[in-house]
Amino acid sequence: MKQHTFTIITGASMGIGKAFSFECAAKGMNLLLVALPDAQLEEVKRELESSFSVTVLIFPLDLTQNGGVESLYQFCLDKKLSIQMLINNAGMGAGGRFENIALEKYLQIMDLNNKAMVLMCHYFLPLLQKESHSYILNMSSMEATLPLPYKAVYTGTKNFVYAFSLALREELKKGPVSVTVVCPGPVLTNPDALRRADAHGNRAKWIMASSEQVAKSGLEGLLQGKAVIVPGRVNQVLVRMMKLMPTSLKMNLLERLFRVYSTH
Ligand SMILES: NC(=O)c1ccc[n+]([C@@H]2O[C@H](COP(=O)([O-])OP(=O)(O)OC[C@H]3O[C@@H](n4cnc5c(N)ncnc54)[C@H](OP(=O)(O)O)[C@@H]3O)[C@@H](O)[C@H]2O)c1
């Protein structure tokens, strides 16, 4: 990576996004970190700058706000930043019976997981195309290929991220921008992830990863130009096995396994 270029990471104040920030800083990348306006982003900047010799800029922003992504893009133009890597990590979900969750929540999830990601790619692609090699990482989930009952909207948005990323990658394959999609299994990051892991008891331990593991394998795969990354051997085998299963059988099994979410 060139020293004067920047990596943008969304959702960088905690969880997987924060772990990506540390992985990237350890590789000497300058960072532009984005998350909701609160004190955590400042704290991450302090931690990074005390551990690594890189420049860390922060841009507190609600990515779902009208004009939000545009203001981030304008900030980069004003500062004349070269962008070599875009990590679209920010995302949210909700579990429970479809009809029990407020429509407002679903619209928020779709705005963040899909609309904001498309806006980010659309605004920043011209800047990425100015570099000789550049990268887009979009954060999906294992659920993109294993549609989860009781998380129908979240699963749908992650399937969108997956399909969008593979299609965009093909469109861009003759140019300098490499697109990668990451599909982690469960990661203990936020209270919702903790509740879901608890509900599954010991079974969840086999497919659980830490934020650091996801960020490490995500960044390695991204720099190698991989199309799809499923962190963790057990998860890779699971995804392959489930692809071979007839859809009705697979969905029936998934409904039984994830029925515990129906009361969340
Ligand atoms: N955790 C899992 O089990 C898991 C599994 C597979 C895939 N994923 C995906 O991995 C990504 C990261 O998940 P995570 O568990 O690390 O998330 P997390 O711990 O909940 O952190 C979410 C991050 O996104 C930021 N954010 C939330 N809403 C935002 C908005 N409207 N505008 C800007 N930033 C916003 C948060 O900022 P604040 O700190 O300021 O709130 C925070 O930095 C998501 O896309 C998620 O779907 C997670």
Side-chain angles (χ1 to χ4, degrees):
M1 302 289 286
K2 286 192 278 171
Q3 287 310 302
H4 65 280
T5 57
F6 279 77
T7 291
I8 301 179
I9 305 176
T10 67
S13 61
M14 57 188 196
I16 300 169
K18 181 176 174 184
F20 264 115
S21 309
F22 278 79
E23 279 296 322
C24 290
K27 291 203 184 308
M29 299 177 199
N30 299 315
L31 303 173
L32 171 53
L33 307 181
V34 180
L36 287 172
D38 62 24
Q40 292 191 76
L41 208 49
E42 277 287 355
E43 183 53 35
V44 174
K45 175 182 159 74
R46 266 195 297 277
E47 284 177 43
L48 286 165
E49 286 180 338
S50 65
S51 312
F52 306 100
S53 300
V54 295
T55 304
V56 181
L57 303 175
I58 58 171
F59 196 89
L61 170 72
D62 181 347
L63 285 158
T64 64
Q65 224 174 38
N66 271 342
V69 173
E70 192 181 357
S71 67
L72 175 68
Y73 174 68
Q74 195 54 51
F75 173 83
C76 293
L77 292 188
D78 293 346
K79 294 247 177 220
K80 298 190 170 45
L81 302 185
S82 301
I83 307 298
Q84 196 166 15
M85 191 180 275
L86 172 60
I87 300 184
N88 284 314
N89 163 75
M92 62 190 293
R97 292 191 72 84
F98 174 71
E99 67 275 24
N100 290 350
I101 294 173
L103 194 52
E104 200 55 39
K105 183 76 181 170
Y106 288 141
L107 297 180
Q108 223 184 340
I109 293 172
M110 291 190 284
D111 274 355
L112 181 61
N113 297 5
N114 295 155
K115 189 175 165 193
M117 180 204 59
V118 171
L119 283 168
M120 288 292 289
C121 290
H122 204 267
Y123 271 103
F124 286 99
L125 187 58
L127 295 187
L128 292 162
Q129 283 172 324
K130 286 186 182 167
E131 302 299 313
S132 52
H133 296 288
S134 52
Y135 306 87
I136 295 176
L137 182 151
N138 291 328
M139 185 58 70
S140 178
S141 162
M142 247 169 86
E143 294 167 30
T145 53
L146 303 173
L148 286 198
Y150 311 112
K151 287 185 79 184
V153 171
Y154 177 76
T155 285
T157 63
K158 291 302 176 181
N159 194 285
F160 178 98
V161 174
Y162 181 79
F164 167 80
S165 304
L166 289 184
L168 184 64
R169 177 186 171 85
E170 263 332 274
E171 277 185 40
L172 300 179
K173 71 180 174 195
K174 295 219 167 86
V177 188
S178 178
V179 182
T180 294
V181 61
V182 181
C183 303
V187 187
L188 289 183
T189 51
N190 51 41
D192 187 44
L194 269 169
R195 261 198 310 278
R196 281 185 279 125
D198 274 353
H200 283 288
N202 275 340
R203 206 166 49 199
K205 285 192 190 132
W206 292 98
I207 55 170
M208 194 83 72
S210 67
S211 296
E212 289 71 23
Q213 286 167 326
V214 171
K216 192 172 177 1
S217 62
L219 189 60
E220 270 172 20
L222 178 67
L223 290 170
Q224 287 164 10
K226 286 190 178 163
V228 181
I229 298 164
V230 178
R233 285 251 179 269
V234 177
N235 294 4
Q236 288 161 12
V237 172
L238 243 175
V239 167
R240 278 201 207 109
M241 270 171 38
M242 293 296 249
K243 267 190 190 152
L244 300 175
M245 209 181 261
T247 305
S248 59
L249 184 64
K250 175 169 74 185
M251 292 314 301
N252 194 287
L253 179 67
L254 288 170
E255 193 279 326
R256 273 188 282 154
L257 283 174
F258 290 89
R259 200 172 289 164
V260 284
Y261 292 174
S262 67
T263 50
H264 276 202

